[in-house]
Amino acid sequence: MRLRLFVLLIVASWFGTGAALAEKRVALVMGNSAYKNVARLANPANDAALVGGMFRKAGFDTVDIKLDLNVVDMRKALREFGGKAREADVAVIYYAGHGIELDGTNYLIPTDAALETDTDVLDEAFPLDRVLFAIEPAKQLRLVILDACRDNPFAKTMKRTIASRAIGRGLAKVEPTSPNTMIAFAAKAGSTASDGDSKNSPFAAALVERLPTPGLDLGKAFRFVRDDVLKSTGYKQEPYVYGSLGGDDVSLVPAKPAAAGPQANPDSEIRRDYELALQLGTRDVWTAFLNRYPSGFYTDLAKAQLNRIAAEDARAVAAEKARQAEDEKARLAAERAKKAEQEKAAAAAKAAEDAKKAAEKAKQIEEAKAAAAEQRRKDVEAAMAKALADKQAAEKALADKAANELAAKQANDEAQGEQRVAAVTPAQSSPSLSPQETAKLVQSELRRVGCLAASADGEWNASSQRSLTLFNQYAGTKLDPKLASFEALDAIKARPGRVCPLVCDHGFKADGDACVKIACRAGYRVNDDNECQKAPDKKPVPSREDAKKKELERKQTEVTPTKPQASGQIICSTSGCRPVRPGCRISIQKYGSAVSMVGGGQAEVCD
């Protein structure tokens, strides 16, 4: 039992104090102040030194502080840090200096950049995606902090090769595609940040104040940073965070571990002395106890015990006096003393007896008080013992949970390691991502360059393979479309803009990165070449509905019998002439070979 408790305490101690040691954290801090082609910035180098010192005090395993980086140094720093991030749980990049937004893409500007034209940005600056790619392999947390929203002097002198090209004020809004990734801007997208009047910027000063708080969730820490910067800048600058984390709290500095195992009870020593004094139960022992412990819960109990002893002494004295009075009364009666003396002795005996009863009653009261005090002590100690047992049970449950989580985490890490070994050959050196995560990253990049219309769901299906084949066709690459590899990811990320042409359906035309419907003026329509041409005059052509209607009428006429009509003939007889009735006709009556002339030889025949 003791061995098991010891093991649980060791596990709890590992999670409380050793978890932070097992979690590998790395940081890259860059500060560009000495720009060669524009005015020098005062604070980025100071801010980088301040933030880098914060990471070192927070116990990060590696903190690389790089100042005044040109394009070559910046590329090298990001490449080297990407290698460190592959082995880390937490990766953080902080950048202070100039940044620029071009056509919705954010770029970090090295110190040797000239940026004479807008196209120079693609060659002389680093896109934010390159920074995200460097921290992407980290297993638990990826954090980018940009103090790069200052008013950019390059934008004022830069020549635009295309008049409609957008060069924004500040940085553009971003939406990280990788999970557990946060990007913190010193100022909200589209606004600029203050460099500050002191040695450090308001944003950097707030960061070092809030982020190192042990156990403080990053989301809440950046909300505190926002409030601090708003107040210090007169509500002119509002930091903003893009991306999100999961439901569990994620802190940059782990919380301080709680002490493992049962805590020493500060009253344990006084309790032992009280129990020893209770066993002895003498006036001198209780007096010595009160001299050593003049106040407190056990002191009040000791006073009650001392009062009980005093009552017992008083009762004994009264009983002794009553006994003596009775003896004196008996002696006088035996000596046949005078009646007055006997009465006096009897009164004295009665008074002594009354005193004895009073002392006994006082003793009972004090004993009751002492018993009640002793019961209170037992109740308090029972409550303390229960609280200690509950605490130990909770700590045991926490230790069991920690042990289970540790075992599950180790099993999960081993399973993921086996999958990565199966998916990647030993000769490759790639980030530790699952095949589905890799496929999702490749799909996101294919969407960015316009080769994939479907969403990035991590399923490398036929649609994704066709999109990679399309990328090969227009980019001139020979990537294997059947596999979402890191080689494909690097090749697609190297393309800054659209690669695959935008293909629109008939009746639509390309407008930037979207298809819009072609609108023709009245009397014109879209032809087969997707151009508006005048619509020809329409000739009346019997519709199919009219032909069906006529055919139906014809059939009904043939089936329906003709209605009888008047023939227009007149028949005459001896009684006069009248029209032939409808449906009848006039016929000549014959008898043998002779014609009957009765009625003029006419007869009305109705079939």
Side-chain angles (χ1 to χ4, degrees):
M1 180 63 183
R2 292 181 178 178
L3 179 61
R4 184 171 181 269
L5 179 60
F6 177 77
V7 172
L8 290 176
L9 292 177
I10 292 297
V11 173
S13 175
W14 185 91
F15 269 88
T17 59
L21 299 176
E23 183 182 76
K24 186 173 183 179
R25 298 174 294 164
V26 296
L28 171 62
V29 179
M30 298 179 287
N32 286 346
S33 288
Y35 283 91
K36 298 179 180 179
N37 298 296
V38 293
R40 176 186 177 89
L41 285 174
N43 286 342
N46 299 333
D47 294 340
L50 180 67
V51 174
M54 174 197 71
F55 287 133
R56 285 174 176 168
K57 291 180 181 179
F60 272 57
D61 298 88
T62 302
V63 180
D64 297 327
I65 301 177
K66 308 288 185 180
L67 302 178
D68 298 329
L69 302 172
N70 58 32
V71 65
V72 175
D73 295 334
M74 203 164 180
R75 181 180 295 109
K76 180 181 178 182
L78 290 172
R79 183 172 59 250
E80 291 176 351
F81 186 73
K84 296 177 181 179
R86 291 188 182 96
E87 305 299 326
D89 299 289
V90 176
V92 184
I93 292 182
Y94 170 86
Y95 172 81
H98 278 309
I100 191 171
E101 179 256 321
L102 181 67
D103 283 343
T105 301
N106 298 316
Y107 295 85
L108 309 185
I109 304 177
T111 55
D112 58 347
L115 304 186
E116 296 178 355
T117 66
D118 51 7
T119 57
D120 294 338
V121 175
L122 305 177
D123 300 321
E124 299 177 7
F126 287 88
L128 180 57
D129 286 345
R130 178 65 185 88
V131 178
L132 293 174
F133 185 76
I135 66 170
E136 206 164 46
K139 300 177 182 65
Q140 295 181 8
L141 173 64
R142 308 165 189 89
L143 175 61
V144 176
I145 305 174
L146 297 180
D147 196 355
C149 308
R150 297 167 173 83
D151 194 11
N152 187 6
F154 290 99
K156 300 176 182 178
T157 59
M158 183 187 299
K159 296 179 182 178
R160 289 174 171 81
T161 57
I162 299 177
S164 60
R165 177 159 288 158
I167 300 177
R169 180 173 181 265
L171 298 181
K173 179 181 178 181
V174 294
E175 289 296 340
T177 57
S178 299
N180 294 329
T181 301
M182 293 181 70
I183 303 175
F185 283 5
K188 196 173 182 179
S191 60
T192 57
S194 171
D195 204 29
D197 299 326
S198 61
K199 182 180 178 181
N200 298 107
S201 71
F203 184 59
L207 288 176
V208 298
E209 178 67 20
R210 298 294 185 178
L211 292 190
T213 304
L216 180 62
D217 180 64
L218 272 180
K220 193 169 185 179
F222 278 111
R223 290 196 291 273
F224 285 140
V225 170
R226 168 191 174 274
D227 295 343
D228 293 346
V229 174
L230 280 172
K231 291 178 182 177
S232 62
T233 60
Y235 295 90
K236 295 180 181 179
Q237 177 181 337
E238 180 185 5
Y240 211 83
V241 176
Y242 299 93
S244 62
L245 303 178
D248 296 332
D249 286 352
V250 178
S251 57
L252 200 64
V253 179
K256 293 182 179 179
Q263 299 296 311
N265 186 355
D267 292 336
S268 59
E269 182 179 358
I270 188 174
R271 177 185 174 184
R272 287 194 300 269
D273 291 346
Y274 176 84
E275 291 177 346
L276 180 60
L278 188 63
Q279 291 176 2
L280 298 176
T282 64
R283 181 188 297 273
D284 293 339
V285 169
W286 288 119
T287 302
F289 181 90
L290 292 174
N291 291 335
R292 183 173 182 181
Y293 305 108
S295 62
F297 173 72
Y298 287 97
T299 301
D300 295 338
L301 298 179
K303 290 178 179 179
Q305 294 294 337
L306 196 58
N307 291 338
R308 182 185 63 78
I309 293 175
E312 173 64 22
D313 292 344
R315 185 203 65 78
V317 170
E320 179 63 23
K321 288 182 178 180
R323 186 189 63 77
Q324 292 176 359
E326 286 292 333
D327 291 345
E328 182 65 16
K329 176 182 176 182
R331 185 186 65 80
L332 291 175
E335 294 177 355
R336 297 180 179 180
K338 294 181 179 181
K339 185 178 181 181
E341 292 179 353
Q342 291 182 5
E343 291 178 352
K344 182 178 179 181
K350 185 177 184 301
E353 183 66 23
D354 292 340
K356 174 185 176 183
K357 292 180 179 179
E360 289 179 349
K361 186 176 182 180
K363 174 192 173 184
Q364 292 174 356
I365 293 174
E366 293 301 328
E367 285 179 345
K369 289 182 179 179
E374 184 65 14
Q375 185 61 42
R376 286 201 308 273
R377 177 185 74 86
K378 292 179 179 178
D379 293 341
V380 170
E381 291 176 353
M384 293 172 60
K386 184 178 183 301
L388 181 61
D390 292 343
K391 180 180 178 182
Q392 291 176 347
E395 291 174 348
K396 177 181 179 299
L398 181 61
D400 290 341
K401 180 181 178 182
N404 294 335
E405 290 179 352
L406 177 60
K409 181 176 182 297
Q410 291 175 346
N412 186 41
D413 291 343
E414 291 175 359
Q416 291 183 355
E418 292 175 358
Q419 292 178 358
R420 287 194 291 269
V421 170
V424 183
T425 60
Q428 291 176 323
S429 177
S430 58
S432 55
L433 296 177
S434 67
Q436 187 174 8
E437 290 174 331
T438 305
K440 189 173 182 180
L441 293 175
V442 176
Q443 288 172 337
S444 299
E445 290 301 314
L446 288 172
R447 283 175 55 86
R448 182 183 63 82
V449 298
C451 297
L452 177 63
S455 61
D457 55 6
E459 296 295 332
W460 194 251
N461 49 28
S463 176
S464 302
Q465 294 177 15
R466 285 196 299 271
S467 66
L468 187 53
T469 302
L470 196 63
F471 176 83
N472 285 335
Q473 178 182 346
Y474 288 98
T477 56
K478 296 181 180 180
L479 303 170
D480 183 5
K482 296 181 180 180
L483 177 65
S485 62
F486 288 101
E487 180 185 3
L489 182 63
D490 292 337
I492 301 171
K493 281 193 173 184
R495 301 288 175 160
R498 173 179 286 276
V499 173
C500 299
L502 182 63
V503 179
C504 299
D505 295 335
H506 181 264
F508 292 81
K509 65 178 180 179
D511 184 8
D513 289 336
C515 292
V516 297
K517 188 174 182 179
I518 299 175
C520 297
R521 57 180 176 169
Y524 284 76
R525 64 177 178 82
V526 180
N527 61 12
D528 294 339
D529 296 329
N530 245 20
E531 296 178 350
C532 292
Q533 73 175 24
K534 188 173 182 181
D537 296 334
K538 295 183 178 179
K539 296 180 180 180
V541 179
S543 65
R544 193 169 182 178
E545 294 294 331
D546 293 339
K548 288 183 177 180
K549 184 177 181 181
K550 289 183 178 181
E551 180 67 17
L552 182 60
E553 290 177 352
R554 184 185 64 79
K555 290 182 179 180
Q556 290 178 347
T557 303
E558 291 178 354
V559 173
T560 305
T562 57
K563 296 181 180 180
Q565 300 179 354
S567 63
Q569 295 176 329
I570 301 294
I571 186 170
C572 297
S573 65
T574 56
S575 61
C577 296
R578 60 177 177 81
V580 176
R581 287 176 296 178
C584 300
R585 68 183 184 278
I586 297 175
S587 177
I588 304 297
Q589 292 184 344
K590 296 182 180 181
Y591 301 94
S593 60
V595 177
S596 174
M597 299 303 292
V598 178
Q602 297 177 343
E604 184 180 24
V605 179
C606 296
D607 297 330

